[in-house]
């Protein structure tokens, strides 16, 4: 299948390893991945902050850029939720492209029908289901099903997993106090699991939680689950 | 053009400032956490019992949307039926008018004390303050509302106004403020506290001649009002006094009893986590020789017509004040109701208060930002109000800081052009390059304004040496 990778701006600039992981996973499965170089940002920050007029040109640009592809995949629950949920409202012509855009676990489990990717990751891992993945995309346990197939991986349950981590885009800055209080509880719950790694489907939430874990000198490290799935024996 | 509302629905401090004060109260946070988690778990259990829950929610939303679509017509129908049943129906455009109507009605009875049935509408219009100013003493009869009144405080939750207190704190309030309380038997046991309140209120129930209530629902076809409650104190007030005055928001209408049945399923499960509420009182005008013989209904607009005029915003008027959205909201859980500065706190308050007053009122423009858009409120809402969508809608239509607007515009210019976007990615890496040399951990502990809020509790990572697209191009 001809699959286009929509990497999202945060991943492109800050977390290139996640994009590389997606490419490795899909190529290992025998698919051709294309990276349309014209892609920019999905416009979530603008739309969610109330800058609709500024977001619409980004929506149109996304639709134009990805129109030729059968499937579009992004390793970000919130950006995919933006595309699938908000695009049709912001610019109705974007609806068909939006409907072909998948979060990585949806593409793997629902479209490609695989859960075992032959990955190896000998660590204790806990998983935070991010709000957009949970309540807008209804990812359910797809990411966990993928992680459970990983050789050597011990998946431990995160207490109060469905609680928001307090990121919320500009909320983390505008309401820094409340955001920090939510983050503290999330970090404490992660600490309780004794996990070496905290996995999630969104690097922006991981940026926030990871920032808290790092500040507290906590033991768990943030990692996008795609990077776990891409890891193979002998690769470190 | 319909006017905006006023009353106790205006925040006087920006939400972040008010929240900072509340965040500094560890006892408050613990009380809130315990209480909201208890109710939230109960609600989940009770909702899971109904396999038709999603259909019920959809019916609730559909019925309310139908009501809003033909509101003027249903209001006339209600008024006609209630009048025929012996009630006197008044209309109030705003809080001030509603308070004036109620105060005049009480004055006409010659009484100087009124019993109050717990009601959000009378809280909204600041009726207690208006009555007190007119020399009339309002007595709250709902246990939690009484606690708040005795403490000289304001409610912090729609359903459980005293949620921010624990048992020990309530015992202290009673010991200090309840006239004639028996200190020898007053422990912080819930039954002991309830008993003290019962003794305090019993005398009032037997002597009061005027009561003021709200209503959970108003049935258009028959002109009936409906109050649901847990304690039975409301029913005492609705049946014992001679004069009953009810203040009812115009969105409380339902067309008929069949539609009412849907809400009597949705409300108790969503609010208290019960299959059915213990007391449901329905009355239609006056019944000679039984119950109040003077019955007044004040239909309150206070900004609701303006909300109804907004095609996106209108869905907020479906709200049945169950408070499920408060109990699942992570922001509410940390700061409590007072941070919202309105009698409507939590997710529904963050949208409804600025909708009713207009976003120019006080600090109400800051309320739509008091959310991470996590969506837990939408999942919990029994009438499917898409609260995250409304938060974004209000952010869209409300005033924005000039600096932020300029920055967002500039960012949008970059993001819509692949060429500018690529060069922005490059500039970011160049700007970070010297930091990567000097900062071995690759983590920043302090960022300049306006990002300083970020580094209050979080480190920020440095951008890596190469972007993904660079890696892709080199491959
Ligand atoms: S918005 Fe929905 S959940 Fe919140 S109080 Fe109203 S009806 Fe209940």
């Amino acid at each position: 299948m001809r699959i286009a990778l929509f990497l999202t701006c945060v991943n492109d600039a800050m977390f290139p390893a996640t994009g590389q992981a997606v490419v490795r996973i899909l190529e290992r499965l025998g698919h051709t991945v294309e990276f349309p170089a014209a892609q920019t940002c999905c416009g979530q920050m603008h739309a969610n902050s109330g800058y609709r007029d500024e977001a619409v040109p980004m929506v149109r640009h996304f639709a134009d850029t990805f129109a030729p592809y059968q499937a579009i995949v992004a390793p970000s629950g919130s950006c995919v939720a933006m595309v699938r949920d908000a695009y049709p409202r912001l610019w109705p012509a974007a609806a068909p492209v939006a409907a072909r855009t998948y979060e990585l676990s949806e593409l793997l489990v629902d479209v490609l029908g695989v859960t075992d990717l032959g990955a190896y990751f000998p660590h204790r891992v806990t998983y935070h289901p991010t709000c957009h993945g949970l309540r807008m995309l209804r990812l359910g346990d797809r990411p966990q099903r993928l992680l459970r197939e990983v050789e050597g991986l011990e998946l431990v349950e995160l207490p109060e997993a469905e609680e928001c981590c307090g990121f919320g885009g500009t909320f983390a800055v505008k309401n820094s106090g409340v955001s920090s209080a939510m983050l503290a509880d999330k970090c404490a719950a992660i600490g309780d699991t004794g996990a070496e790694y905290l996995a999630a489907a969104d690097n922006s939430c991981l940026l926030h939680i990871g920032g808290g874990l790092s500040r507290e000198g906590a033991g768990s490290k943030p990692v996008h689950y795609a990077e776990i799935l891409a890891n193979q024996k002998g690769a470190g | 053009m319909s006017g905006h509302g006023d009353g106790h629905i205006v925040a006087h401090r920006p939400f972040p400032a008010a929240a900072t004060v509340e965040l500094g109260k560890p006892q408050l946070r613990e009380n809130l956490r315990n209480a909201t988690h208890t109710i939230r778990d109960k609600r989940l259990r009770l909702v899971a019992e109904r396999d038709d829950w999603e259909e019920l929610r959809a019916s609730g939303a559909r019925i309310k949307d139908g009501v809003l679509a033909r509101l003027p017509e249903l209001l006339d129908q209600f008024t006609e039926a209630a009048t025929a049943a012996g009630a006197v129906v008044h209309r109030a455009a705003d809080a001030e008018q509603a308070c004036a109507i109620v105060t005049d009605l009480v004055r006409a009875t010659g009484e100087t004390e009124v019993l109050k049935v717990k009601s959000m509408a009378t809280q909204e219009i600041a009726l207690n303050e208006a009555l007190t100013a007119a020399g009339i003493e309002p007595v709250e009869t709902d246990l939690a509302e009484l606690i708040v009144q005795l403490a000289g405080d304001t409610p912090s939750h729609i359903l459980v106004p005293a949620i921010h207190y624990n048992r020990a704190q309530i015992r202290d309030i009673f010991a200090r403020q309840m006239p004639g309380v028996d200190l020898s038997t007053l422990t912080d046991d819930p039954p002991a506290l309830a008993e003290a309140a019962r003794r305090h209120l019993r005398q009032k129930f037997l002597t009061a001649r005027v009561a003021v209530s709200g209503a959970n629902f108003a049935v258009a076809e028959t002109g009936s009002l409906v109050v649901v409650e847990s304690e039975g104190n409301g029913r005492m007030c609705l049946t014992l006094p001679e004069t009953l005055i009810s203040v009812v928001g115009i969105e409380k209408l339902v067309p008929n009893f069949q539609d009412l049945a849907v809400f009597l399923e949705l409300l108790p499960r969503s609010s208290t986590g019960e299959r059915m509420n213990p007391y449901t009182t329905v009355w239609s005008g006056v019944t000679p020789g039984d119950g109040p013989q003077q019955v007044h209904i004040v239909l309150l607009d206070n900004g609701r017509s303006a909300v109804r005029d907004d095609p996106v915003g209108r869905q907020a008027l479906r709200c049945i004040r169950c408070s499920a959205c408060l109990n699942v909201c992570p922001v509410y859980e940390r700061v409590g109701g007072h941070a919202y500065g309105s009698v409507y706190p939590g997710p529904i308050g963050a949208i409804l208060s600025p909708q009713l007053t207009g976003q120019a009122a006080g600090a109400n423009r800051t309320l739509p930002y008091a959310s991470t858009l996590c969506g837990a409120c939408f999942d919990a809402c029994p009438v499917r109000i898409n609260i995250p969508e409304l938060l974004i809608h209000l952010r869209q239509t409300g005033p924005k800081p000039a600096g932020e607007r300029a920055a967002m515009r500039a960012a949008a210019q970059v993001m819509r052009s692949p060429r500018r976007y690529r060069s922005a990615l490059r500039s970011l890496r160049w700007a970070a390059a010297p930091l990567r040399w000097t900062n071995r951990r690759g983590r920043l502990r302090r960022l300049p304004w306006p990002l300083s809020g970020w580094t209050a509790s979080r480190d920020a990572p440095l951008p890596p040496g190469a972007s993904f697209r660079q890696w892709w191009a080199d491959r």
Side-chain angles (χ1 to χ4, degrees):
Chain A
M1 201 195 299
R2 210 177 148 208
I3 302 167
L5 172 63
F6 169 53
L7 193 59
T8 85
C9 58
V10 169
N11 287 329
D12 198 347
M14 301 294 294
F15 301 97
T18 302
Q20 293 160 16
V22 177
V23 173
R24 280 215 298 282
I25 293 167
L26 293 174
E27 289 184 348
R28 208 193 296 157
L29 290 171
H31 300 283
T32 309
V33 182
E34 300 194 23
F35 180 77
Q39 65 179 276
T40 59
C41 158
C42 69
Q44 185 184 182
M45 179 179 75
H46 287 84
N48 283 356
S49 308
Y51 294 87
R52 183 199 172 99
D53 295 349
E54 284 75 12
V56 169
M58 287 181 242
V59 175
R60 300 178 60 159
H61 179 68
F62 181 97
D64 291 346
T65 307
F66 288 98
Y69 300 93
Q70 288 165 281
I72 301 128
V73 67
S76 161
S78 70
C79 300
V80 174
M82 169 71 189
V83 171
R84 277 233 300 275
D85 185 70
Y87 273 26
R89 257 179 289 137
L90 289 166
W91 196 55
V97 179
R100 298 199 298 275
T101 305
Y102 304 95
E103 193 277 327
L104 177 65
S105 70
E106 294 175 314
L107 182 83
L108 293 172
V109 176
D110 301 350
V111 182
L112 305 177
V114 286
T115 45
D116 189 347
L117 298 160
Y120 175 71
F121 196 74
H123 300 283
R124 193 177 164 90
V125 176
T126 192
Y127 184 81
H128 168 61
T130 58
C131 298
H132 286 84
L134 194 66
R135 301 192 190 88
M136 287 176 91
L137 296 179
R138 307 273 171 203
L139 291 183
D141 68 345
R142 287 181 187 80
Q144 288 96 320
R145 270 154 69 194
L146 294 162
L147 288 173
R148 273 192 214 107
E149 299 293 335
V150 175
E151 196 190 332
L153 187 147
E154 185 197 351
L155 189 63
V156 289
E157 195 155 329
L158 179 65
E160 312 248 11
E162 303 195 349
E163 287 275 302
C164 176
C165 70
F167 173 53
T170 54
F171 177 84
V173 174
K174 284 194 181 189
N175 278 288
S176 173
V178 187
S179 172
S180 301
M182 291 163 69
L183 174 62
D185 291 344
K186 184 57 76 181
C187 287
I190 294 164
D192 286 346
T193 66
E196 295 161 76
Y197 287 92
L198 167 76
D202 226 307
N203 275 326
S204 27
C205 306
L206 286 170
L207 176 77
H208 163 79
I209 302 173
L213 292 171
S214 155
R215 174 65 52 93
E216 291 177 12
S220 319
K221 290 188 282 290
V223 63
H224 194 289
Y225 79 91
E227 294 173 38
I228 296 180
L229 299 181
N231 198 61
Q232 281 182 305
K233 242 185 195 139
Chain B
M1 176 61 197
S2 323
H4 288 309
D6 55 10
H8 276 175
I9 44 177
V10 183
H12 294 291
R13 283 176 305 177
F15 182 83
T20 304
V21 175
E22 302 302 313
L23 281 168
K25 303 174 181 169
Q27 178 73 62
L28 169 87
R29 230 193 298 173
E30 198 189 309
N31 295 351
L32 284 168
R33 186 183 161 77
N34 291 338
T36 55
H37 281 247
T38 309
I39 317 182
R40 139 178 1 178
D41 294 344
K42 260 173 93 182
R43 184 190 71 86
L44 276 180
R45 268 203 311 280
L46 267 287
V47 161
E49 280 184 0
R50 294 287 304 234
D51 45 22
D52 60 347
W53 185 250
E54 287 308 315
E55 286 106 86
L56 270 176
R57 283 176 86 202
S59 308
R62 202 173 45 240
I63 295 167
K64 279 284 182 182
D65 283 350
V67 166
L68 294 169
R70 18 184 226 118
L71 192 58
E73 180 196 322
L74 288 174
L75 278 170
D76 287 345
Q77 190 191 9
F78 174 85
T79 305
E80 218 169 280
T83 310
V88 182
V89 181
H90 312 255
R91 292 216 185 172
D94 56 21
E96 200 184 328
Q97 246 180 45
C99 285
I101 294 170
V102 178
T103 310
D104 287 348
L105 288 171
V106 179
R107 273 212 188 104
T109 67
E111 293 295 313
T112 54
E113 187 177 274
V114 298
L115 290 188
K116 292 269 320 289
V117 183
K118 177 179 165 9
S119 121
M120 291 310 297
T122 59
Q123 291 283 1
E124 174 185 326
I125 62 174
L127 181 64
N128 286 5
E129 288 76 356
L131 289 173
T132 308
I136 300 161
E137 191 199 343
V139 180
E140 294 290 352
T141 61
D142 172 80
L143 179 55
E145 204 74 71
L146 174 68
I147 295 165
V148 169
Q149 191 181 33
L150 288 173
D153 198 357
T154 53
S156 70
H157 188 278
I158 292 178
L159 188 77
V160 201
I163 197 169
H164 53 302
Y165 295 123
N166 62 22
R167 291 190 291 164
Q169 291 169 310
I170 293 168
R171 196 240 163 224
D172 286 349
I173 294 166
F174 279 11
R176 266 185 288 116
Q177 303 292 340
M178 191 178 272
V181 72
D182 181 358
L183 286 173
S184 66
T185 58
L186 188 68
T187 65
D188 65 2
D189 240 19
L193 294 171
E195 181 56 28
R198 195 171 297 134
R199 280 177 191 284
H200 171 75
L201 289 173
R202 182 158 304 158
Q203 207 46 42
K204 308 271 181 194
F205 287 138
L206 293 176
T207 53
R209 296 176 57 229
V210 183
V212 175
S213 84
N216 294 92
F217 304 99
V219 184
E221 202 172 74
T222 56
S224 315
L225 294 183
V226 184
V227 164
V228 300
E229 45 152 350
S230 300
E231 295 168 357
N233 288 346
R235 179 171 290 175
M236 299 272 228
C237 306
L238 297 169
T239 48
L240 290 176
E242 290 157 21
T243 302
L244 174 60
I245 306 164
S246 305
V247 183
V248 183
I250 54 174
E251 85 287 9
K252 296 279 169 185
L253 279 171
V254 293
N256 51 46
F257 274 85
Q258 213 173 340
D259 293 330
L260 176 66
V262 172
F263 296 104
L264 294 184
E265 296 271 8
L266 287 172
L267 182 57
R269 279 178 208 261
S270 304
S271 57
T272 48
E274 292 169 301
R275 293 188 183 87
M276 199 184 170
N277 51 279
Y279 296 89
T280 302
T281 309
V282 184
W283 71 101
S284 317
V286 175
T287 306
D290 185 15
Q293 297 299 299
Q294 306 290 324
V295 170
H296 293 271
I297 301 167
V298 182
L299 293 174
L300 176 71
D301 192 309
N302 207 32
R304 286 161 176 75
S305 292
V307 178
R308 181 176 171 265
D309 289 344
D310 174 353
V312 183
R314 176 185 280 197
Q315 57 178 310
L317 295 179
R318 289 182 202 151
C319 177
I320 56 173
R321 314 278 188 262
C322 71
S323 72
C325 58
L326 277 64
N327 299 329
V328 298
C329 176
V331 175
Y332 177 87
E333 183 188 322
R334 268 68 185 196
V335 299
H338 293 157
Y340 296 80
S342 159
V343 298
Y344 299 117
I348 183 62
I351 56 173
L352 191 60
S353 305
Q355 283 184 285
L356 288 173
T357 61
Q359 297 197 69
N364 277 6
R365 70 179 180 287
T366 62
L367 294 176
Y369 296 92
S371 168
T372 62
L373 305 178
C374 81
C377 48
F378 182 22
D379 268 11
C381 179
V383 285
R384 294 187 53 88
I385 300 172
N386 191 334
I387 296 174
E389 181 190 22
L390 283 187
L391 289 163
I392 292 172
H393 173 65
L394 291 170
R395 293 175 184 186
Q396 172 70 32
T397 51
K400 298 187 195 66
E404 180 190 291
R405 185 180 283 277
M408 285 285 188
R409 288 227 169 108
Q413 289 296 329
V414 172
M415 299 291 198
R416 65 199 282 186
S417 146
R419 187 178 49 79
R420 282 193 288 261
Y421 177 71
R422 269 195 303 271
S423 66
L425 281 182
R426 257 197 311 274
S427 319
L428 178 71
R429 282 199 314 281
W430 285 342
L435 287 171
R436 266 198 311 279
W437 280 96
T438 52
N439 185 323
R440 287 170 146 231
R441 288 173 65 244
R443 297 244 151 216
L444 298 172
R445 297 184 71 90
R446 196 161 296 142
L447 288 172
W449 192 88
L451 295 174
S452 42
W454 178 275
T455 39
S457 62
R458 291 152 285 225
D459 290 344
L462 280 168
S467 66
F468 174 85
R469 60 183 61 222
Q470 208 175 0
W471 172 82
W472 180 266
D474 297 345
R475 208 159 95 101

